[in-house]
């Protein structure tokens, strides 16, 4: 099976190991992975800020970049969720509606692809530690991926998995929301930090790096000794 890697801006700039882990996991599961170098931002920051026409330029470039891909896989529920919105964005456009539909149909978040497309529930990883999982809003509400990350985590050998209280609550990041409404955002992430602490977990795991950066930053400022990591790190660990 051929898979094209959609790396996402935040992974490319801030979390390069997430891209590396994603490739290694997919290759271990028998996929042939390539990286279309024409790819760019999915357009979400501009789109969510109301700059629709400006966002379309990035979206069209993404459609061109992955035109020949069999499957497109990205380590972010939020960014993949944006690509799934492309058919809505280009609805009625005689040139771009069909290509937008084709890209949306073959694009998957990493854990979604592993469980729902490859049919794998155990990637053969081993990780020792007490772990809780933050289900990010865009992953669960926009993309609809709720079970796949937990299924994979619970099948990791050596892991102690604990549910996060009020896990469905937003961490306050919300992309541009944290910039536009910093006071509200700060209160939301403070509450999320408290819930993570209540679990007694050593690791907070998630599938969206923006949320992890937001929660991790808050917990670090509070002096809490909880490691915040992307799910791909656990799924690619053999200790």
């Amino acid at each position: 099976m051929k898979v094209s890697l959609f790396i996402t801006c935040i992974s490319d700039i801030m979390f390069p190991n997430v891209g590396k882990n994603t490739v290694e996991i997919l290759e271990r599961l028998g996929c042939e992975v390539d990286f279309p170098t024409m790819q760019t931002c999915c357009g979400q920051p501009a789109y969510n800020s109301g700059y629709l026409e400006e966002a379309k330029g990035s979206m069209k470039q993404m459609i061109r970049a992955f035109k020949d891909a069999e499957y497109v896989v990205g380590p972010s529920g939020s960014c993949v969720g944006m690509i799934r919105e492309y058919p809505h964005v280009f609805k009625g456009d005689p040139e771009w509606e069909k290509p937008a539909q084709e890209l949306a149909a073959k694009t998957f978040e990493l854990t979604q692809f592993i469980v729902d497309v490859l049919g794998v529930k155990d990637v053969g990883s081993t990780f020792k530690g007490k772990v809780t999982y933050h289900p990010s809003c865009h992953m669960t509400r926009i993309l609809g991926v709720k079970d796949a990350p937990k299924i994979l985590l619970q099948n990791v050998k050596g892991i102690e998995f604990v549910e996060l209280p009020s896990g469905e609550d937003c961490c306050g990041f919300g992309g541009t929301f944290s910039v536009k409404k910093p006071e509200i955002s700060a209160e939301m992430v403070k509450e999320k930090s408290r819930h993570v602490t209540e679990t007694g977990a050593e690791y907070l795991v998630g599938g969206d790096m923006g949320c992890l950066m937001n929660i991790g930053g808050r917990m670090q400022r509070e002096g809490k000794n909880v490691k915040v990591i992307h799910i791909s790190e656990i799924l690619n660990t053999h200790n």
Side-chain angles (χ1 to χ4, degrees), residues 56-222:
K56 283 183 178 179
S58 291
M59 295 174 183
K60 290 175 181 177
Q61 181 64 16
M62 288 291 285
I63 292 170
R64 293 187 198 101
F66 291 104
K67 182 179 179 294
D68 298 322
E70 184 177 333
Y71 288 97
V72 179
V73 175
S76 165
S78 181
C79 298
V80 169
M82 182 69 252
I83 290 180
R84 292 289 185 91
E85 291 288 305
Y86 282 15
H88 169 72
V89 172
F90 291 103
K91 188 174 179 60
D93 188 308
E95 181 181 358
W96 293 98
E97 182 176 14
K98 189 170 185 292
Q101 291 171 342
E102 290 171 350
L103 177 58
K106 64 185 179 183
T107 302
F108 298 86
E109 180 272 333
L110 175 62
T111 64
Q112 178 189 37
F113 181 75
I114 293 171
V115 174
D116 296 343
V117 179
L118 297 181
V120 174
K121 296 182 178 180
D122 184 345
V123 297
S125 58
T126 303
F127 188 89
K128 292 178 174 59
K130 191 173 184 179
V131 170
T132 193
Y133 171 74
H134 167 64
S136 55
C137 296
H138 287 187
M139 175 95 89
T140 56
R141 293 170 172 82
I142 293 176
L143 193 57
V145 175
K146 298 178 181 179
D147 298 328
K150 288 185 180 181
I151 288 170
L152 293 173
L153 285 173
Q154 289 167 350
N155 283 315
V156 172
K157 294 173 183 63
I159 206 169
E160 182 184 352
F161 182 80
V162 289
E163 289 285 351
L164 180 62
S166 302
E168 69 281 357
D169 288 357
C170 178
C171 74
F173 179 65
T176 55
F177 175 81
S178 59
V179 177
K180 293 175 181 175
K181 305 287 185 181
E183 295 85 3
I184 300 173
S185 174
E187 290 303 310
M188 293 170 76
V189 74
K190 188 190 299 183
E191 183 179 61
K192 180 65 67 173
S193 172
R194 186 173 72 248
H195 289 319
V196 173
T197 304
E198 287 171 9
T199 67
E202 302 165 87
Y203 299 90
L204 172 68
V205 179
D208 274 306
M209 289 156 275
C211 302
L212 295 176
M213 198 161 54
N214 186 43
I215 302 167
R218 177 70 200 188
M219 299 193 81
Q220 188 177 46
R221 287 192 294 276
E222 292 175 348

